[in-house]
Amino acid sequence: MKRWNGWGDTAVSHPLPEKAGEFLVELVGEATLPQDATLADVVATVPASRLPTHPLIQTDAETRLKHARGQSFPDWVALRGGQIGTFPDGVAFPHSEADVLTLLQLARSHDLKLIPYGGGTSVAGHINPESGELPVLTVNLQRLSRMTSLDRTCQLATFGAGVAGPEMEAQLRAKGYTLGHFPQSFEYSTLGGWVATRSSGQQSRGYGRIEDLFAGGKLLAPAGDLIMPPLPASAAGPDLRQLILGSEGRLGIITEATVRISPLPERESFNAIFFPDFEAGKTAVRQMLQADLPLSMLRLSTGVETETTLKLAGHELLIGTLERLLSLRGVDENKSMLLIGFSGNRHIVNTARSEAVDIAKEQGGIHVGQQFGNQWQKGRFRTPYMRNELWNMGYGVDTLETAVTWNQVDATLDDIENSLKTAMTQFDERLHVFTHLSHMYASGCSIYTTYLFRLSPDHDANLARWTAMKTAASQAIVRHGGTISHQHGVGRDHAPYLEAEKGSLGIATIEAMTRQFDPAGVMNPGVLVTR
């Protein structure tokens, strides 16, 4: 069963190593265990539905609660504190495109607001209903999940947009293919959600971001249907697929998507390389990228993240031995860890790995083989579960990300981390901050920062702390010309900073586009653009 106030299946847990608690106390102090609301407590606060009875719609309190929030830190505060505020009036579960059209007609005839819902994994407020006089209907698309076609000649596959990552990969792997799109939310996030938020997977360097994989599909909008054929290329005006990518439910409901698939790789290899410092690692990865080596993944941790990762990994004997060996070769307390992935046939994997290791050696890098890489691959989707464990120990954790060009990486990273720490000082609390670079490109990379802090017994205080830190870090991103979101979308949380990136004309264009597709403002109001 899926957790109603946290991440993942209730039967799954990934406890932290035995000494992790001592490490956390050393970093930010002794924690107070939180007092969370129970499911029954919160269900009792759900008001009566304002929707008409309909066979596609469920209006029971528990279903509405479980579709009221996503996975952002404010969402967790609301759920754990039992202060949801606004609930959808009902949840629809369409089985077909005809059902979706019925729901769009119902929205027009009864003056409803519609929120498309995939896996509920949003960390930016995409699926949270706004308060208001009009009823809100959440449309859960999980039953639109079939693979309707697979063309081996063209290497294209078409799915219902509600298909979740594991189900999609299982259907493809049974035919000898993969999409290769593995966001950290893979366990629950859906194909339609990936398209709607311009998602990026952990191996996007090799397989591509979702905009590279999305070949076409269908959007059902209040103003009509948009059919996007999966052409290999076109010079016939603007690419309408780009309107749908990142549209976040404002234009209509994505019901199906055709994606570019790849044969299952003959071999995959994930390796670890340790550099004497972060600067040497940055130089090496930039050289690898600009040499256009066939890599599927790169993830370079700062010294602080490297230390944190090794401390929280357990396996004290193994890691102690590794650190002694690295120290003998001049890679010591400031070391920076690179996880690097290779996918393809054996020759490509072996050649790319050899060339990457040679470049790393020029910067003092030490290749330590596949053991750390294999552990990362094995646990690549466990990290969200750690949020549950940390919360239950009295610690909050959140992440934020951006992307900048290489010449802006150092200044942006430093400003983000310092802004987070400064924002927390007003609460007389310590903060542990660490960062890695990922989703790398020849011209720049994503900066992904994690920050950990003690929870207050007062849920309002936790929200105030998060708001101060998120605001300060977002302003730092804007100062350096970074994108407000490289992979998590805009939603409500990032909307105030979008104009700095798009400009006033760009925002006006997006607003005009929403009016064209959705003249009455039915679709997901308040998301992406605020007006």
Side-chain angles (χ1 to χ4, degrees), residues 1-6 10 39 42-43 46 60-71 79 84 87-88 91 93 117-121 127 129 138 140:
M1 181 185 296
K2 189 176 178 183
R3 284 182 175 84
W4 70 275
N5 64 349
T10 55
L39 176 60
V42 185
V43 165
V46 180
D60 64 283
E62 186 167 328
T63 299
R64 291 164 60 197
L65 163 61
K66 290 179 177 180
H67 289 77
R69 290 284 186 152
Q71 291 289 325
L79 290 164
I84 309 302
F87 299 85
V91 183
F93 294 87
Y117 185 103
T121 62
I127 58 174
T138 293
N140 185 316

Side-chain angles (χ1 to χ4, degrees), residues 10-21:
T10 55
V12 178
S13 63
H14 295 289
L16 294 170
E18 185 177 341
K19 291 195 174 181

